[in-house]
């Protein structure tokens, strides 16, 4: 990503904020215009006693909306989310959650391609060589990841070889204590990946999850099979895992790119590795398409101070999907803007600790 | 502040993820402990040298165990980051143990004595586990007992234990693995790294190679990784923790004990003579062990027994851990005390059970004193032996007394780690001997928490680590 050196960071932060405010105006106009907006937001607006198109002029004005509820995304009709402007386009639907109950659905037309093309600009051509092939080792099925990573590979001139993992089945096995079956399933997945890596010498890049990365590195040296870069995400990544991955799994020789993303947001990039960060995994959202804020859990309109922990609040602002003020089930440390990303970041993301934990019965 | 690193085959490793251990009463930080990620544990244990103790004979390892016992009790042993060169005296160990667990200092010393005894009397313990065959059978792989060929091989080439925080006495259960030549990997309880660290330090100081010891403070995922990566293991945990491993023979489970005192028809009227035994079984070690009695089953006089126990235990006070009179532990996590108390109250709302201690005391079992939470002894009278509280176990001196005809008792008591049967009735004794739901059986006036260490406890560690094989060998020419 090109970084302007002509402006100070403060000036670039201010400029990014102006671009964000302008983008918010465009997106709100689009989603609440009967010609382009989707049925959900048009019907929603009818129940308001204020006009979003007139009253939302800045990003801060989005606080006029009630927090977005994830229940709105569960169940149908899913077409209520399709903007009228895209009614005739081919529609994808991607799901998140769904281990039990009804998953959340998000419609998609091109967002996944745009998100991953933007992300592609942050990857180094040395670690993720253009024209080289990829192994996509992770969830596909109803998830966005398969298509997104495949598009990333294609966008960079490569081909993606895919091995599927069904995380809902893994969760089911884990919750029901069927650990042996879980190991068998993991082995089944890893075996397929090993076969691909041994058979296709042009695979030099991998996307996978932390657990699968550990599992595959138990079986082979990725350095020995010629892997240059690993893009990792899908679940929580701790600073300790980050260090372990760089130093031990990848033997200090393979580029490691951790990411934080989900179907609702897109993909947040990791701040370029800096030893001064002590392996903290610090993410920056793809502003203006999405913004993550770290807020007071009991007062979500108030940001926590830099370096403090708060709950993650997500706002997605694309022409395909408008999702203001969604409280994620995660908490994080708020980080300052940095050179490549002149807006707030979120570090050390982990499940929100404010949810109740069960009481243990019995002694042992 | 003390910095506690991970030990990776004896090598200290400081993790980026750390937890702070705090004093249960003051909230002051006591130590910062590195936390291992699950992948690191798997990676280490798959690469561990499982032959590291094979160069020693069992006799040599027993000698080192005895030496380690003395060092455990008397030594100024290394602790924490080796670069910092810190050491720990026995008194400092007890202080740390009580500080982070809330266990009364007096009970910490008693538990440490149990640990010392197992290390010191390791030959007795091993003889109990192996039923006394010559020790060199394990060195040569074969030998003779009473003229018969005997051969064993190490099925558990690596051994792991996922340990609790509730009572340090449990550490005595894994210690014999060292003399049985298995390198060990330990996941300590969140508030209790002290005992495993000191035991390891003592063994290393006694001459056992440090490569034989791995120590991984970690989370649930790390615990599962450890259990998966070693050949044989021990898991301490509540019912939900142990359930996934119920059918896994490589994991020896130490879940809730539900230990009980059972009165026979012949002794049921003689109960006052056994009141002290009942109190000791319920309240010894602050009621924090699976070997504490949590149920008294009798064919009659149940209410009277419960009243008498409540009378005896209602006077127990919440005292600071450092007070030599302290009989209940403070809770390092106050929410846990409140949660347990609320759980008991919720079940008391179902008719058929009453908390007699609370009636006699005139106050709640949940006590806040100087900002510290305690749970006072709780004796429940269950007039219906199918009431949920008749078969519960909690982290406090807790027992339910209920009535049941002896002919139905064995079927109704459910899984019971220790059953102390107060009876001389031959028929009842015979049926108790046949009961598969009682793990350790005491016939006669034994407190449930009186353990003989030369007998297996919830499985035989030797049989867990070794497998017997048929073997023939032609004499060398």
């Amino acid at each position: 990503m090109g970084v302007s050196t002509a402006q100070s960071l403060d000036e670039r932060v201010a400029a990014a904020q102006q671009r964000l405010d302008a983008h918010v105006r465009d997106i709100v106009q689009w989603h609440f215009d009967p010609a382009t907006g989707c049925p959900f937001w048009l019907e929603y607006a009818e129940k308001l006693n204020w006009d979003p198109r007139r009253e939302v002029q800045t990003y801060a004005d989005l606080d006029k909306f009630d927090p977005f509820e994830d229940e709105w995304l569960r169940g149908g009709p899913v077409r209520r989310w399709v903007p009228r402007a895209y009614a005739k386009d081919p529609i994808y639907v991607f799901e998140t959650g769904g281990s039990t109950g009804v998953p959340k659905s998000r419609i998609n037309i091109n967002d996944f391609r745009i998100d991953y093309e933007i992300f592609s600009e942050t990857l180094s051509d040395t670690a993720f060589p253009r024209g080289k092939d990829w192994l996509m080792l992770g969830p596909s099925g109803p998830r966005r990841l398969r298509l997104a990573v495949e598009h990333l590979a294609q966008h960079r001139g490569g081909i993606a070889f895919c091995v599927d993992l069904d995380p809902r089945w893994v969760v089911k096995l884990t919750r029901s204590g069927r650990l042996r079956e879980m190991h068998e399933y993991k082995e089944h997945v890893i075996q397929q990946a090993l076969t691909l890596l041994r058979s296709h010498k042009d695979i030099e890049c991998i996307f996978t999850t932390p657990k699968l990365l550990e599992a595959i590195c138990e079986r082979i040296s990725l350095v020995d099979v010629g892997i240059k870069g690993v893009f990792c995400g899908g679940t929580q990544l701790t600073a300790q895992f980050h260090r372990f991955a760089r130093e031990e799994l990848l033997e200090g020789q393979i580029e490691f790119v951790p990411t934080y993303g989900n179907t609702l947001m897109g993909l947040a990039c990791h701040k370029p590795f800096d030893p001064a960060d002590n392996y903290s995994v610090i993410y920056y959202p793809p502003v203006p398409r999405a913004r993550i804020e770290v807020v007071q859990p009991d007062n979500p309109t108030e940001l926590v101070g830099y370096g403090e922990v708060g709950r993650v609040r997500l706002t997605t602002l694309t022409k395909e999907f408008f999702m203001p003020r969604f409280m994620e089930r995660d908490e994080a440390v708020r980080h300052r803007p940095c050179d490549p990303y002149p807006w707030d970041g979120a570090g050390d993301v982990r499940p929100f600790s404010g949810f109740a934990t069960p009481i243990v019965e019995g002694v042992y | 502040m003390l910095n506690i690193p991970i030990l990776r085959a004896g090598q200290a490793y400081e993790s980026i993820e750390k937890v702070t251990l705090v004093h249960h009463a003051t909230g002051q930080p006591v130590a910062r402990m590195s936390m291992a990620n699950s992948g690191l544990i798997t990676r280490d244990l798959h690469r561990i040298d499982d032959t590291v103790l094979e160069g020693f004979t069992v006799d040599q390892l027993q000698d080192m165990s005895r030496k380690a016992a003395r060092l455990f009790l008397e030594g100024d042993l290394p602790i924490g980051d080796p670069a910092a060169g810190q050491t720990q005296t026995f008194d400092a160990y007890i202080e740390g143990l009580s500080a982070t667990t809330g266990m009364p200092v007096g009970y910490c010393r008693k538990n440490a004595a149990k640990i010392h005894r197992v290390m010191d009397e390791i030959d007795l313990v091993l003889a109990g586990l192996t039923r006394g065959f010559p020790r060199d059978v394990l060195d040569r792989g074969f030998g003779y007992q009473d003229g018969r060929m005997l051969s064993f091989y190490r099925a558990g080439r690596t051994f792991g234990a996922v340990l609790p925080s509730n009572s340090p006495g449990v550490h005595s259960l894994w210690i014999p693995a060292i003399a049985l030549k298995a390198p060990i990997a330990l996941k300590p309880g969140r508030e209790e790294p002290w005992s495993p660290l000191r035991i390891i330090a003592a063994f290393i100081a006694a001459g056992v190679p440090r490569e034989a010891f791995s120590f991984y403070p970690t989370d649930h995922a790390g615990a599962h990784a450890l259990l998966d990566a070693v050949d044989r293991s021990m898991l301490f945990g509540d019912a939900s923790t142990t359930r996934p491993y119920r059918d896994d023979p490589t994991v020896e489970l130490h879940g809730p004990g539900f230990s009980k005192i059972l009165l026979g028809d012949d002794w049921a009227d003689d109960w006052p003579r056994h009141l002290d035994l009942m109190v000791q079984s319920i309240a010894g070690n602050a009621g924090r062990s699976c070997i504490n009695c949590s149920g008294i089953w009798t064919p009659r006089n149940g209410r009277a027994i419960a009243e008498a126990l409540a009378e005896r235990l209602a006077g127990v006070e919440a005292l600071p851990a450092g007070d030599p009179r302290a009989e209940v532990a403070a809770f390092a996590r106050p929410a846990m005390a409140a949660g347990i108390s609320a759980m008991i109250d919720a079940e008391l709302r179902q008719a058929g059970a009453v908390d007699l201690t609370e009636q006699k005391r005139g106050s709640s079992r949940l006590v806040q004193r100087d900002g510290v939470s305690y749970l006072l002894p709780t004796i429940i009278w269950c007039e219906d032996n199918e009431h949920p509280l008749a078969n519960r176990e909690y982290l406090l001196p807790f027992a339910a007394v209920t009535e049941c005809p002896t002919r139905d008792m064995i079927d109704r008591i459910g899984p019971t780690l220790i059953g102390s049967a107060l009876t001389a009735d031959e028929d009842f004794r015979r049926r108790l001997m046949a009961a598969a739901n009682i793990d350790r059986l005491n016939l006669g006036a034994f407190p449930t928490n009186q353990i003989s260490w030369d007998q297996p406890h919830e499985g035989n560690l030797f049989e867990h680590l070794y497998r017997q094989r048929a073997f023939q060998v032609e004499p060398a020419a």
Side-chain angles (χ1 to χ4, degrees), chain B residues 254-401:
Chain B
H254 295 261
F258 304 115
S259 296
K260 296 178 184 77
I261 292 171
L262 312 172
L263 284 97
D265 285 303
D266 53 338
W267 289 19
D269 295 329
D270 203 18
W271 63 267
R273 196 158 64 86
H274 302 294
L275 199 60
D276 286 347
L277 178 150
M278 294 180 195
V279 169
Q280 182 192 333
S281 299
I282 295 164
N285 203 37
R288 288 170 78 93
S289 304
C290 53
I291 58 177
N292 281 114
C293 171
S294 56
I296 294 177
W297 289 59
T298 177
R300 56 189 176 276
N301 302 321
R303 176 88 196 204
I305 295 170
E307 294 274 2
L309 285 170
E311 191 67 42
R312 285 280 294 273
L313 289 168
V316 171
E317 289 179 67
L319 297 172
D323 190 316
R325 297 169 299 150
E327 292 179 80
V328 289
F331 275 78
R333 283 178 281 170
M336 192 175 181
I340 290 172
S341 191
M343 202 181 281
I344 296 170
D345 286 337
E347 293 198 320
L348 280 169
R349 283 194 277 278
Q350 183 174 326
V354 58
D355 179 348
L356 297 180
T357 26
E358 204 153 85
Q359 284 183 358
K360 292 191 187 299
R361 206 166 34 228
S363 61
S364 169
R365 74 184 71 85
L366 178 62
V367 175
Q368 286 273 336
R369 182 175 164 167
D370 300 328
V372 181
S373 295
Y374 300 84
L375 287 173
L376 295 176
T378 297
I379 299 296
I380 307 288
W381 159 239
C382 284
E383 58 188 60
D384 175 2
N385 63 38
E386 292 190 356
H387 191 282
L389 282 171
N391 222 330
R392 286 284 188 265
E393 176 183 287
Y394 294 104
L395 200 58
L396 69 147
F398 170 94
V401 184

Side-chain angles (χ1 to χ4, degrees), chain A residues 174 176-180 182-183 211 214 217-219 238-241 243-244 247-249 251 278-280 348 359-364, chain B residues 8 13-17 37-40 43 46-47 164 166 228 236-238 244-245 254-256 288-289 335 339 343 392-395:
Chain A
T174 309
S176 61
R178 285 179 285 169
L179 300 182
R180 183 172 302 169
M182 194 188 73
H183 288 303
K211 287 282 167 216
E214 287 173 357
C217 291
E218 274 304 294
R219 306 296 293 276
T238 65
Q240 172 58 25
F241 175 81
R243 172 189 174 191
F244 173 66
E247 289 181 351
E248 301 190 37
L249 298 180
E251 305 169 54
N278 197 26
Y279 295 93
S280 271
D348 299 312
I359 293 293
V360 172
E361 185 195 335
V363 298
Y364 35 84
Chain B
R8 305 176 69 180
Y13 174 92
E14 187 177 344
S15 167
I16 291 173
E17 308 288 332
N37 55 298
S38 58
L40 178 144
R43 193 169 179 85
H46 283 173
R47 289 159 180 75
N166 59 313
D228 290 341
F236 294 83
D238 64 27
Y245 295 94
H254 295 261
R288 288 170 78 93
S289 304
M343 202 181 281
R392 286 284 188 265
E393 176 183 287
Y394 294 104
L395 200 58

